[in-house]
Amino acid sequence: MKTSSSNLNMAWNVFKYCTVLRALGSVMILVVLGIIGVSYYAVVVAKYGPALFLGGLDSITALFVLFLFHSLLVMLVWSYFSVVITDPGGVPPNWIPNLDEESGDAGQWAGSDNDGVDLGANQSAMLIEPKHQGVRFCQKCNQFKPPRCHHCSVCRRCILKMDHHCVWVVNCVGAFNYKYFLLFLFYTFLETTLVTVSLLPIFIALFTDDEIPESPGNLAASFITFVLNLAFALSILGFLIMHISLVAGNTTTIEAFEKKTSPKWRYDLGWKINFEQVFGKNKKYWLIPAYSKDDLEWMLSFQCVEYPTRPDSDGL
């Protein structure tokens, strides 16, 4: 009885946490825009904007920093809102797994989690028959779950190739916006690193006897901006390295915790194909949050429901 009570309390706490995440909503977008605004003021308005009119090397340095800053900022904001507004991918209506009727091979559908759900006669038979016990079913959405699909308690629906629910983008990261999320991390790391390096002389001068020709307000803004961007740059670097390794192995964050310890992951087709499944085959589009027409048609052709697997992936 104690165990059941403990499990019930844990489930209750999880749902409370999901409710809090839903309540945050657009607040996190405002937080991101606020951090960008403070950084813009410290770098452009307070430091390098005025330096443009000093002449000589100072003007050249300021022009270079401002050009790089604004270029990265455009890509960062573009990538960020692409993640926010893009649907990560939901299960197609009335989708039913296509199983091998002769062998009863459930292949990629491991573990049945249907219990007491009202299904149609054909769907019920598919789950009841022993040869179809590998089919996955979501009780909350009342629908079958494709391979690599997981239910998000925050979004309250099943997400295709779900990686995680990101509070910073107020959205799930899944099949159709994972590339945009990775680009957001990439450009955020470059931008925060640039801001940190560009404000480093002011930060060092604060702890020396050097006289700083800045107002107290500008110094405070520069100090806060430096600390924030340094913290974000270091944390995002680790996060970016982790996701690069996941892309190379064609794995999501959830799958990294769920899959077997076997080195042969069924969806690992080699780093090149794994990379192209996320970023597309057209190199011109790799660094922008968009897909070429051919890549988009390829993604929509199978709706990110059935991914190719290794020929030696049986049972993995």
Side-chain angles (χ1 to χ4, degrees):
M1 293 295 294
K2 290 184 178 180
T3 303
S4 300
S5 176
S6 175
N7 292 337
L8 182 61
N9 289 334
M10 183 177 295
W12 174 252
N13 290 335
V14 169
F15 282 115
K16 284 178 64 178
Y17 177 69
C18 294
T19 302
V20 171
L21 288 181
R22 284 193 292 267
L24 284 176
S26 57
V27 173
M28 294 309 298
I29 298 178
L30 296 178
V31 171
V32 172
L33 293 178
I35 295 173
I36 292 175
V38 172
S39 300
Y40 192 90
Y41 176 84
V43 174
V44 179
V45 178
K47 174 68 175 175
Y48 289 96
L52 281 174
F53 306 99
L54 297 179
L57 184 60
D58 290 335
S59 294
I60 297 176
T61 302
L63 183 62
F64 174 76
V65 171
L66 291 175
F67 173 78
L68 198 55
F69 177 87
H70 284 91
S71 298
L72 292 175
L73 182 60
V74 168
M75 298 307 299
L76 187 159
V77 173
W78 184 9
S79 300
Y80 177 72
F81 281 103
S82 293
V83 186
V84 173
I85 67 176
T86 301
D87 189 326
V91 181
N94 303 318
W95 180 84
I96 296 177
N98 181 23
L99 302 179
D100 187 338
E101 292 296 335
E102 294 185 1
S103 65
D105 182 18
Q108 305 164 53
W109 298 273
S112 172
D113 47 2
N114 173 53
D115 215 359
V117 181
D118 185 18
L119 303 176
N122 294 336
Q123 295 176 344
S124 297
M126 185 176 291
L127 293 173
I128 293 173
E129 292 180 23
K131 67 178 182 179
H132 290 153
Q133 286 302 303
V135 175
R136 300 168 65 223
F137 191 90
C138 179
Q139 299 182 46
K140 297 182 178 67
C141 296
N142 195 33
Q143 65 183 9
F144 288 103
K145 294 168 66 174
R148 317 191 76 177
C149 177
H150 293 82
H151 184 87
C152 176
S153 297
V154 181
C155 296
R156 296 176 177 175
R157 64 183 182 127
C158 288
I159 303 297
L160 298 176
K161 198 184 176 185
M162 179 178 173
D163 188 87
H164 69 289
H165 184 92
C166 181
V167 64
W168 288 100
V169 301
V170 200
N171 197 3
C172 258
V173 177
F176 293 114
N177 65 353
Y178 186 43
K179 172 188 175 180
Y180 308 153
F181 176 75
L182 295 177
L183 290 177
F184 168 60
L185 291 181
F186 176 67
Y187 288 117
T188 300
F189 171 71
L190 293 181
E191 182 79 323
T192 53
T193 300
L194 174 65
V195 172
T196 301
V197 172
S198 63
L199 295 180
L200 183 60
I202 295 179
F203 183 80
I204 294 176
L206 287 173
F207 298 93
T208 62
D209 296 330
D210 297 339
E211 183 178 349
I212 307 175
E214 299 284 350
S215 66
N218 287 349
L219 288 177
S222 298
F223 178 81
I224 294 173
T225 300
F226 177 86
V227 173
L228 280 176
N229 280 269
L230 177 61
F232 276 112
L234 293 176
S235 60
I236 290 175
L237 176 60
F239 204 44
L240 190 58
I241 292 174
M242 181 193 78
H243 276 281
I244 290 174
S245 66
L246 291 178
V247 171
N250 204 344
T251 310
T252 66
T253 301
I254 294 177
E255 290 170 345
F257 286 97
E258 289 185 347
K259 71 180 183 180
K260 299 178 181 179
T261 56
S262 170
K264 296 181 179 180
W265 174 233
R266 65 165 56 247
Y267 299 106
D268 186 359
L269 305 177
W271 69 269
K272 186 177 184 295
I273 297 178
N274 296 341
F275 180 87
E276 290 177 346
Q277 281 191 9
V278 176
F279 286 85
K281 297 181 179 180
N282 194 324
K283 298 179 181 179
K284 296 179 180 179
Y285 286 80
W286 283 357
L287 295 179
I288 63 175
Y291 286 100
S292 68
K293 182 180 178 181
D294 291 339
D295 286 330
L296 197 57
E297 289 178 352
W298 172 78
M299 292 178 64
L300 294 176
S301 65
F302 67 98
Q303 297 179 307
C304 292
V305 171
E306 298 184 23
Y307 287 88
T309 59
R310 297 165 55 108
D312 58 346
S313 63
D314 293 341
L316 297 181

